């Protein structure tokens, strides 16, 4: 059983910063592909950033230069450092892990950016 527990969301003013954390537990290795996605009301869930098992990183164009994804392999935790936040970054942020053909999601954490 794989569990993903996210934390770090909250309310922040435009231009501020937040750091999200996603701790993975269960029958996983330290190099599983993991990523962050977000979903705003009425919208689909979209990729924000992901890190592959080889360490390759991809970002959505809308967050390039502002967000940074990183991973602590010892703690099986992936982070999303979010800087220069904008109101349009407001969404529920979900952590995702891919393992042996299965996809696991965290419960989501709300990020609200006020103007």
């Amino acid at each position: 059983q794989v569990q993903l527990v996210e934390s770090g969301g909250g309310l922040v003013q435009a231009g501020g910063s937040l750091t999200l954390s996603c701790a993975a537990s269960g029958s996983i290795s330290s190099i599983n592909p993991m990523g962050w996605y977000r979903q705003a009301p009425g919208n689909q869930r979209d990729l924000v950033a992901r890190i592959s098992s080889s360490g390759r990183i991809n970002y959505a164009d809308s967050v390039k230069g502002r967000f940074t994804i990183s991973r602590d392999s010892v703690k099986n935790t992936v982070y999303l450092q979010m800087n220069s936040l904008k109101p349009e970054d407001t969404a529920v942020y979900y952590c995702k892990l891919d393992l042996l053909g299965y996809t696991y999601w965290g419960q989501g954490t709300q990020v609200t950016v006020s103007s």
Side-chain angles (χ1 to χ4, degrees), residues 8-14 16-18 85 90 110-115:
L11 173 65
V12 64
Q13 288 187 329
S17 299
L18 283 174
L85 283 160
T90 295
Q110 177 70 46
V111 171
T112 303
V113 184
S114 63
S115 57

Side-chain angles (χ1 to χ4, degrees), residues 4-83:
L4 302 174
V5 179
E6 298 131 336
S7 60
L11 173 65
V12 64
Q13 288 187 329
S17 299
L18 283 174
T19 300
L20 305 182
S21 300
C22 173
S25 61
S27 301
I28 60 174
S29 76
S30 61
I31 57 172
N32 295 112
M34 295 185 72
W36 288 96
Y37 290 70
R38 65 187 181 187
Q39 187 168 19
N43 291 354
Q44 65 183 16
R45 192 172 298 186
D46 292 324
L47 171 71
V48 176
R50 62 187 170 199
I51 184 165
S52 74
S53 55
S54 64
R56 185 176 71 250
I57 291 174
N58 297 101
Y59 293 100
D61 288 342
S62 59
V63 307
K64 283 181 180 177
R66 299 188 298 122
F67 290 12
T68 302
I69 188 171
S70 62
R71 177 165 57 195
D72 184 327
S73 298
V74 174
K75 296 181 179 180
N76 282 332
T77 299
V78 65
Y79 303 95
L80 185 68
Q81 174 67 43
M82 305 184 293
N83 298 325

